[in-house]
Amino acid sequence: MFTEPLPSTLDARKAAVRGVSVSGNLALPKMERISTLLASTEGSVEAECVFSKDEENRSVIDISVRATVEITCQRCLEPMPLELVAENRLALVADDDEAKALPERLEPLLLEDENCDLWSLVEDEIILKLPIVGYHDTAACKQTLEEYKAPPPEAGSGKENPFAVLEQLKSGNQNQE
Ligand SMILES: [Zn+2]
């Protein structure tokens, strides 16, 4: 559990040369893009960014994120907690040509100046991990509980024969012919 906030920006190229790592928590209300995708700003986000040079002397960031957020259950429309873990390696590039030259396993991070927006990177990782639609587990979902509570549709009407409906359908078909 990190108690300090994650720095919002860092000189990424210098950090890579020095092998700096930074970690901390982030406030969900400060992440504007993500707030439209979540049910609330309740939750917590922790992240660690490790800057280094890889074996081919590229500046890379290993980013790991652990978050608990609330999304809206698409069945009962109530908020539901969601735990996310994301890990990614990004390679710093100065332009599109450098990005194209990267091996496929590396994701480019275009940095036009030295400042790297760490909060935005963490936000990207969370957005990539969010499900397109989320549902509670069956046991936890209000919608399902209400379905269990409701009496079965035919209960109590006793005398009605379920086959009567079929008979009606059959005779209906015959009438049409
Ligand atoms: Zn639900």
Side-chain angles (χ1 to χ4, degrees):
M1 185 90 188
F2 302 123
T3 50
E4 294 291 312
L6 185 78
S8 61
T9 58
L10 199 74
D11 183 330
R13 290 193 174 84
K14 268 189 198 156
V17 172
R18 292 181 190 161
V20 168
S21 64
V22 289
S23 57
N25 55 52
L26 290 88
L28 275 170
K30 287 189 180 156
M31 300 183 172
E32 273 178 30
R33 283 177 297 142
I34 213 172
S35 61
T36 59
L37 303 168
L38 299 178
S40 75
T41 51
E42 294 293 310
S44 64
V45 181
E46 295 185 340
E48 183 170 33
C49 300
V50 179
F51 296 79
S52 63
K53 290 281 188 178
D54 74 359
E55 56 281 359
E56 283 153 81
N57 206 34
R58 291 187 200 94
S59 299
V60 294
I61 312 175
D62 287 295
I63 180 165
S64 50
V65 182
R66 184 177 293 272
T68 306
V69 295
E70 278 195 332
I71 61 169
T72 303
C73 169
Q74 293 306 309
R75 193 157 42 205
C76 69
L77 303 180
E78 294 283 327
M80 59 173 279
L82 182 74
E83 285 192 24
L84 299 171
V85 176
E87 288 194 355
N88 203 359
R89 172 170 271 203
L90 304 169
L92 304 182
V93 295
D95 53 41
D96 284 346
D97 289 340
E98 269 189 51
K100 280 177 197 148
L102 286 179
E104 267 184 42
R105 67 192 154 83
L106 283 174
E107 198 177 311
L109 173 64
L110 187 63
L111 272 193
E112 276 151 4
D113 60 23
E114 61 277 9
N115 274 334
C116 177
D117 184 343
L118 298 183
W119 288 5
S120 179
L121 288 187
V122 171
E123 197 173 5
D124 285 343
E125 294 301 321
I126 298 174
I127 289 170
L128 286 173
K129 285 284 174 175
L130 283 177
I132 294 166
V133 287
Y135 299 107
H136 281 116
D137 288 341
T138 316
C141 188
K142 286 225 168 63
Q143 185 64 40
T144 316
L145 287 177
E146 258 136 47
E147 276 164 20
Y148 283 140
K149 272 187 265 169
E154 292 298 322
S157 55
K159 276 182 279 177
E160 272 193 37
N161 179 353
F163 295 106
V165 179
L166 274 178
E167 290 301 323
Q168 278 168 12
L169 286 174
K170 276 187 197 163
S171 60
N173 287 345
Q174 276 160 11
N175 290 346
Q176 276 167 11
E177 280 166 10

